[in-house]
Amino acid sequence: MPTIQGNHYIAGEWVRDAQNGYIDSVNPNDGSVLGTAPNGSTELAVQAVVAARTAFESTNWAFDPRSRSAALLQFADALETNKDEIARLMAQENGKILGQARHEVAAGIGEARYFAGLARNVFGRTFESGPGKLSLMTREPSGVVSVIVPWNAPVTLLVRSAAPALAAGCSVVIKPAPQTPLTNASVMACFDRVDTLPKGIVNSVNEHGTEVGTVLSRHPEIDVISFTGSSRTGKIIMANASDTVKTVGLELGGKAPAIVFADADQDRALVEIKRGALALNGQMCTCISRILVQASIHDRFRSRLLQSFDATKTGHSLASDTELGPLIDRHNQNRILGLIDRAGDEAKLILRGSNGGDALSDGCFVTPSLFEIDDVEHDLVQNELFGPIASLEKFDTESDALTRANATRYGLAASVHTRDFDRGLRMSRKLKFGTVWLNCHNRLLAEVETGGLRESGIGRLHGTEALNDFLETKHIYVEDETACR
């Protein structure tokens, strides 16, 4: 790789301006420092925005879909060439187990190639309103896009926003999470290897604080914001964007329920629920955080679920037998351990997570937890917990399951486990979630739109609709001489 240092990347150049100091990249497996990255500033953020605007206005990028497609394919090739190194770096920087990190990089490669194809398929339409009267509706890039990326999936979630923006003909300014600047720099190095990419079309500025994020949500030369993160931060971004009436795409928090009916294939459901609850060490917005089980199978399923979660192998993210790695940092470890204590006091804790004991004491580990609760209004049910902790709830009827599942302000994802296909479809249509999986969980595809309802977000990423946030429709009206008489 040209570099794995967490430098800024502005107008095609690596920038190590650290007037605001440095950010340490800390390995949550053991607390060691992996490297440093320069902290950004208002001035650097503005510099990146100006570079993106200049490139958008002064090059043919916006008008050359074949070049955009070729650039995205070349970027995908660079990602593939360096996939193993990037995956290992990610596993050390955010604690994701190596197999999941490899899967994420592969998904990022697939995303880039999918949107490379869509870049050559942006079509407008025509309409003839009368003799000699022709309307042309063109689809044109919106302009400069800020892409604000979380730490839990720093490759896929970057590419998921940046690739459709680039395919549409926009330029981008990326703000990575402060916990994963080295992984971000490794992706920027892949962009740097794309010789057909005009300088300034892709830019990135690190930050540990709010200066850069404020610029990227308020600057008048930013046309679109694509943000993935917490609902609280998403609301701040919406408020900041309102001053200049920007397009805002948000994928925010989740509280995903898995609903298990008595006729479900319980073996399969157990595998899917464990995988869905502990993905990314429980730090994923679509992770299962509520497990709703029909009363007639509740006790047996509860026993098997408890046994499965308790047997989870917690350890270093690079170890081949690890199922659950560390949380992102000490703050979040302490936060989740505090939530476990609360669940023990206010609910019925049936599996108590811990820091993993002396062997894992240097890292930010928390083993899985399960608690039982009936009150859907309790904040342990209502709030996104973002860790390896889930509630177990009992329901009687299909109607009861729907009422309980829909009783939160989040609406990102859910899953239904039943052998009755008609029931599965009925539930899917009535569940207030942007994605519903049947007899599985967390199947995310570049070709298929994803996004949330209610406080889980606005807009859709993936699929053909992902281009919508980054394109504007322009009406061009033409009359010939005979129509004017």
Side-chain angles (χ1 to χ4, degrees):
M1 298 289 293
T3 179
I4 58 169
Q5 292 300 310
N7 296 343
H8 313 297
Y9 186 70
I10 302 173
E13 302 293 335
W14 295 102
V15 177
R16 198 161 175 81
D17 184 322
Q19 56 184 292
N20 278 6
Y22 289 90
I23 303 167
D24 283 339
S25 172
V26 178
N27 185 338
N29 288 283
D30 56 20
S32 62
V33 176
L34 292 166
T36 62
N39 193 18
S41 63
T42 296
E43 292 76 12
L44 283 168
V46 171
Q47 183 182 337
V49 172
V50 171
R53 173 59 64 186
T54 300
F56 178 76
E57 300 291 351
S58 64
T59 70
N60 288 326
W61 179 257
F63 307 103
D64 194 346
R66 293 190 176 189
S67 289
R68 300 199 299 267
S69 177
L72 282 168
L73 289 173
Q74 193 175 350
F75 166 70
D77 290 344
L79 264 184
E80 186 161 43
T81 298
N82 297 282
K83 62 184 180 181
D84 292 332
E85 181 180 346
I86 295 172
R88 288 186 64 85
L89 177 60
M90 188 198 316
Q92 295 174 86
E93 195 169 39
N94 77 351
K96 181 178 301 183
I97 64 174
L98 185 57
Q100 292 179 9
R102 287 171 173 157
H103 176 79
E104 179 180 333
V105 178
I109 295 166
E111 298 259 359
R113 288 179 175 151
Y114 174 73
F115 287 109
L118 282 190
R120 296 178 63 172
N121 288 274
V122 179
F123 298 105
R125 69 185 197 276
T126 62
F127 169 68
E128 191 171 19
S129 58
K133 301 176 181 180
L134 188 64
S135 290
L136 310 176
M137 274 67 73
T138 64
R139 297 283 278 161
E140 301 182 1
S142 298
V144 179
V145 178
S146 65
V147 177
I148 302 175
V149 186
W151 48 260
N152 60 337
V155 175
T156 299
L157 298 186
L158 186 162
V159 179
R160 186 182 67 172
S161 290
L166 296 171
C170 297
S171 58
V172 300
V173 181
I174 296 159
K175 188 185 92 69
Q179 296 91 339
T180 50
L182 305 184
T183 302
N184 181 78
S186 70
V187 178
M188 291 303 104
C190 293
F191 276 118
D192 189 53
R193 295 179 64 177
V194 180
D195 54 20
T196 58
L197 189 68
K199 295 182 184 302
I201 290 295
V202 174
N203 308 271
S204 178
V205 181
N206 304 314
E207 177 180 52
H208 191 287
T210 61
E211 284 186 50
V212 174
T214 299
V215 171
L216 296 188
S217 58
R218 284 186 170 168
H219 197 287
E221 293 297 333
I222 294 288
D223 301 294
V224 181
I225 303 169
S226 184
F227 170 77
T228 304
S230 72
S231 297
R232 180 182 60 82
T233 303
K235 293 174 184 178
I236 295 171
I237 287 172
M238 284 188 73
N240 288 347
S242 66
D243 289 341
T244 48
V245 195
K246 304 181 189 304
T247 297
V248 179
L250 305 172
E251 185 175 296
L252 307 177
K255 194 71 179 178
I259 304 168
V260 184
F261 284 94
D263 68 340
D265 180 336
Q266 293 187 38
D267 290 340
R268 180 178 179 183
L270 282 164
V271 170
E272 290 292 335
I273 288 171
K274 181 177 179 178
R275 182 186 295 131
L278 302 183
L280 280 63
N281 309 325
Q283 301 167 119
M284 185 177 183
C285 51
T286 58
C287 268
I288 295 170
S289 57
R290 301 175 64 201
I291 305 164
L292 282 60
V293 182
Q294 197 158 25
S296 61
I297 63 165
H298 176 272
D299 291 350
R300 171 62 177 157
F301 195 84
R302 173 189 185 273
S303 176
R304 296 185 66 191
L305 188 70
L306 180 61
Q307 183 179 20
S308 177
F309 272 55
D310 194 32
T312 301
K313 171 63 175 176
T314 303
H316 197 290
S317 59
L318 292 180
S320 60
D321 60 344
T322 295
E323 296 178 272
L324 186 72
L327 299 187
I328 184 64
D329 54 29
R330 193 71 71 189
H331 168 76
N332 277 283
Q333 180 195 37
N334 292 333
R335 180 181 63 81
I336 293 296
L337 290 172
L339 287 171
I340 293 168
D341 288 340
R342 277 197 59 207
D345 293 338
E346 301 174 18
K348 182 179 180 181
L349 194 63
I350 59 175
L351 178 63
R352 177 181 286 274
S354 71
N355 64 4
D358 292 342
L360 300 176
S361 60
D362 291 337
C364 303
F365 296 91
V366 177
T367 61
S369 295
L370 287 168
F371 64 93
E372 291 182 318
I373 193 165
D374 291 325
D375 181 10
V376 294
E377 298 301 323
H378 198 287
D379 63 1
L380 287 170
V381 175
Q382 290 294 319
N383 295 338
E384 184 178 41
L385 305 182
F386 223 61
I389 176 172
S391 64
L392 182 61
E393 304 169 46
K394 185 188 296 185
F395 70 89
D396 291 310
T397 65
E398 188 175 311
S399 176
D400 183 27
L402 280 168
T403 299
R404 295 189 71 90
N406 286 333
T408 78
R409 65 185 183 275
Y410 293 111
L412 187 58
S415 59
V416 179
H417 302 263
T418 177
R419 286 188 172 96
D420 185 335
F421 185 69
D422 290 341
R423 172 191 282 152
L425 285 182
R426 283 197 307 273
M427 293 289 293
S428 299
R429 295 302 300 273
K430 293 179 181 179
L431 284 165
K432 297 177 181 177
F433 296 85
T435 297
V436 180
W437 294 286
L438 297 183
N439 297 310
C440 58
H441 200 91
N442 264 347
R443 303 301 198 268
L444 299 167
L445 310 172
E447 299 87 348
V448 180
E449 287 76 6
T450 58
L453 309 178
R454 297 177 289 181
E455 291 194 27
S456 285
I458 299 172
R460 292 293 180 268
L461 292 169
H462 293 148
T464 58
E465 290 185 25
L467 295 183
N468 289 349
D469 279 352
F470 311 111
L471 291 169
E472 303 288 348
T473 299
K474 179 183 287 182
H475 176 207
I476 301 172
Y477 181 79
V478 181
E479 286 185 347
D480 65 22
E481 291 183 1
T482 59
C484 297
R485 292 173 187 166

